[in-house]
Amino acid sequence: MQKVIIIGAGHAAAQLAPSLRKQGWKGQILIIGDEAYIPYQRPPLSKEFMAGEKTDDEILIRPLSAYDQHDITFRLNETAVKLNPLENALTLSTGESIGYDYLAFCTGARARKVPIPGSDLEGVFYLRSIDDVKGIKHRLDVRVKDRAKKSSKTSDSANVVIVGGGYIGLETAAALRKMDVNVTVLEMQDRVLARVTAPEVSEFYQRVHAEEGVQIRTDSIVSHIGGEGQVSTVRCESGKCFDADLVIIGVGVVPNVELAEEAGLLVDNGIVVDEFAQTSVSNIFAAGDCTSHPNALLADSLMNGRLRLESVPNAMEQAKTVAASICGQSLPYASYPWFWSDQYDLKLQIAGLSQGFDQVVIRGDHKNSRSFVAWYLKQGKLLAADCVNRPKEFLVAKQLLSRGIKVDPALLVDESIDPKTFLQ
Amino acid sequence: MPIIHYIEADGTEYEADVVVGSTVMQGAVDNMIDGILAECGGSCSCATCHCYVDEAWFEQVGEAGGTEKIMLEMAIDPQPTSRLSCQIQVTEELDGLVVRLPESQY
C-alpha cells in the first residue's frame, strides 16, 4: 500500500491529512509529532489557554476519533532524525527506519532562543507549545502561593517580565493581566510591534497596555537575567533592573528546516517550495511556517517574490495544495495573507502584508478610542490594513486586495462613508 | 448527542453527532466537512464558517449579534438566515438542526 508520511503534527498536518482523504488518497497516512499531543490550535496558547479559559481538549483542532475514522495514524513523542530522499527512507529517534512514497514537511517553527546570560535559570520560559504554557501557569501558581505564605497582604501579585514586544509578548501580557499579575514588557526597539506595524499602531498598543496596567519599556536591551538557581531579576544594558518571579521570552521564531537541509533539500529562510508546495525533491512537499514559498500576488511587498509566513490560514491553504499535488491534481497556492490578534477587548484583524509600504492613513481615532483602521499603501495601491475592532473594514480590505480595487486614501479615512461602498 | 445535518452547496449531505456545548463549526471540522474552513478556529475573526440556517430552525437558533452580525454583512452572499457557525452553540434543543453551506467562503 502506498504511504504518505507527514513530519510535524501542527495546523498544516491537521489540514493535510483529511484533505488527502477528501482528494481520494487511499493509502496510509502517518503523522509524526514530537509533542505528546495530537494537533491543537496554537493561537489560543497566548490568549484563552494562558488565561485558563480553555482546556487542553478545547484547543484540539479535532478529537482523535475524527482521525481514526479516516484511518489517519499518529506517532507522537517521536522525532524524525534523518531523511534519505534517494531511498525514500526516514529514520526516527527510536532508530527505526520507515519507507514512504510521499513525504510532507509540516515542521513549523520553534521559538528563537537568545544567548542572554541567565536565560537557563529556572523560571525562564519561551512560549510555543502547550507544555510551555503549562510550565508558565504552574510556576505562577507556585509563586502566588509562596508569596501568600510570606506576606500578610493577599494583594501581593507575582511579577512577570516579558522579553519582546511582538504579538506573542503583548497577547501574553494581556492574558496575564486578567490573572492579576504585574506585567513588564521589555522591547529592544523604540516601539512595540516595530517589525510588523506602522508607528501609529505601535503607539496605540502601548497606550492601551499602559491603560490596562502593563509597564512597557522600549529601548530596553536585556543584558542579564539574575537569580540563584531561580530567576529573580532582569537587568537591562541601561542599568535598570526589574524584579521577576517569571520571565517569558518572545523574540520571534526560527523555521524547523534542519532535517530537510541535511537531506540536501533546497533551504533558504525556510524549505524552498514552488506554488504547488513541492520541494526540490519531487516526491517531497512542505506546508506552513517552515516553507519559503512564492506568491505572485504580493510582488509589491517582496524583494525576490518569495516569503515565509507565520500564519495558520497560510498553513491550512498550503496543506490543501500539498494534498492536491500528491493526488495528481493542481491547486496552485496564491492567496493574500491575513492574521489576527486578540488582546483585552481589542480584536485586531490584519488583511494583507504591509511590508514595503510608503504611506499610512488612519480611519478613526487611534489616539483616544479603541477602534480604528491603519491602511497601508504603496504608490497609492493598498497593501494591507490593520483593523482594530473594525470587522467590516477588515472584510472590505480583504476584498479590495483580492479584487485589486484602488480607493482614494481621502475616502479610506472618511468615516462618513460606508466602507462597503469602496467595493462598488 | 444532538445530530446536525450539513448540506454542502453541491447537495452533498452529512449527518454529524455533535456534543452539547460544542459549536456547529466544530462539528463540521470534526467531520471534515469541506464547506466550513474555520481558519481562525472559532474566535469570530475570519468569517470562513458562514452557513445558512434552515428556515424552520432559524427562530430556535436565533439571530447574529455584535461582531458576527457586522462580519456577516460582508460575507459572500449573505441571506436573512446567515450565521457564523462558530457562534452557534450546540444544545439538546438543536437536535436535528439543518444548515446549508455556501458555495465559497471567500
Side-chain angles (χ1 to χ4, degrees), chain B:
Chain B
M1 218 184 285
I3 292 174
I4 311 286
H5 301 265
Y6 298 87
I7 307 172
E8 295 215 74
D10 66 3
T12 314
E13 282 195 50
Y14 298 87
E15 242 187 52
D17 294 322
V18 186
V19 289
V20 168
S22 182
T23 63
V24 172
M25 175 278 282
Q26 192 61 48
V29 171
D30 289 355
N31 289 279
M32 302 178 187
I33 297 169
D34 268 354
I36 297 279
L37 299 180
E39 290 184 336
C40 75
S43 66
C44 199
S45 292
C46 68
T48 64
C49 66
H50 177 200
C51 71
Y52 306 120
V53 176
D54 185 82
E55 294 208 0
W57 283 93
F58 190 61
E59 207 183 305
Q60 176 89 31
V61 172
E63 279 186 33
T67 302
E68 183 193 351
K69 193 174 177 179
I70 300 167
M71 303 263 289
L72 278 170
E73 195 190 329
M74 295 310 304
I76 307 298
D77 199 14
Q79 304 284 332
T81 68
S82 284
R83 288 292 309 264
L84 293 182
S85 56
C86 71
Q87 301 300 307
I88 307 176
Q89 280 239 329
V90 173
T91 59
E92 289 293 356
E93 289 70 38
L94 292 186
D95 186 16
L97 172 68
V98 179
V99 295
R100 290 179 177 76
L101 309 182
E103 206 163 312
S104 169
Q105 294 284 356
Y106 286 121

Side-chain angles (χ1 to χ4, degrees), chain A residues 43-53 127 140 160 162 164-185 205 208-216 248 341-347 370:
Chain A
L45 292 180
S46 50
K47 309 179 186 89
E48 304 98 307
F49 188 74
M50 174 73 75
E53 293 159 5
L127 201 167
L140 267 179
V160 175
I162 296 173
Y167 285 118
I168 288 291
L170 296 184
E171 287 173 1
T172 303
L176 290 173
R177 285 302 294 153
K178 283 189 195 169
M179 298 151 73
D180 194 28
V181 169
N182 298 324
V183 184
T184 304
V185 175
Y205 275 96
V208 171
H209 277 278
E211 286 169 3
E212 299 287 347
V214 174
Q215 278 198 72
I216 292 190
I248 301 170
S341 174
D342 296 331
Q343 299 168 41
Y344 311 111
D345 57 346
L346 310 176
K347 178 181 282 297
R370 290 195 177 194

Side-chain angles (χ1 to χ4, degrees), chain A residues 216-386:
Chain A
I216 292 190
R217 296 284 177 267
T218 54
D219 295 305
S220 296
I221 300 172
V222 175
S223 58
H224 183 83
I225 299 175
E228 301 206 350
Q230 308 229 350
V231 64
S232 61
T233 56
V234 177
R235 187 176 294 279
C236 291
E237 280 182 5
S238 63
K240 272 226 166 80
C241 194
F242 300 88
D243 286 343
D245 295 300
L246 198 148
V247 175
I248 301 170
I249 302 175
V251 292
V253 297
V254 286
N256 292 319
V257 299
E258 289 76 5
L259 181 69
E261 200 162 28
E262 284 160 18
L265 272 68
L266 203 55
V267 168
D268 180 11
N269 180 34
I271 300 168
V272 173
V273 295
D274 63 14
E275 67 269 44
F276 302 104
Q278 192 173 38
T279 68
S280 54
V281 175
S282 66
N283 64 336
I284 302 182
F285 298 82
D289 289 14
C290 67
T291 67
S292 161
H293 57 273
N295 191 337
L297 297 174
L298 305 176
D300 289 320
S301 288
L302 305 176
M303 296 293 276
N304 60 357
R306 309 185 69 85
L307 80 163
R308 194 177 66 75
L309 285 172
E310 290 145 25
S311 152
V312 171
N314 171 64
M316 291 172 71
E317 286 292 308
Q318 266 192 325
K320 287 180 191 171
T321 295
V322 172
S325 294
I326 289 176
C327 294
Q329 287 137 35
S330 162
L331 183 67
Y333 171 86
S335 48
Y336 283 94
W338 77 273
F339 311 87
W340 79 95
S341 174
D342 296 331
Q343 299 168 41
Y344 311 111
D345 57 346
L346 310 176
K347 178 181 282 297
L348 169 64
Q349 295 162 293
I350 303 167
L353 206 64
S354 60
Q355 206 173 307
F357 68 91
D358 58 21
Q359 186 186 7
V360 180
V361 292
I362 307 286
R363 180 185 180 87
D365 180 1
H366 73 287
K367 287 185 190 288
N368 301 295
S369 79
R370 290 195 177 194
S371 161
F372 72 98
V373 182
W375 305 93
Y376 297 83
L377 303 110
K378 184 177 185 179
Q379 291 167 355
K381 190 184 159 200
L382 185 67
L383 290 185
D386 290 347

Side-chain angles (χ1 to χ4, degrees), chain A residues 6-20 29-33 39 61-62 67 72 74 104-107 287-288 315-316 319:
Chain A
I6 301 170
I7 310 176
H11 284 272
Q15 182 65 49
L16 173 54
S19 288
L20 280 166
I29 302 176
L30 172 64
I31 301 175
I32 297 166
I61 292 175
R62 57 177 74 80
Y67 298 97
I72 295 161
F74 286 93
F105 277 90
C106 295
T107 44
M316 291 172 71

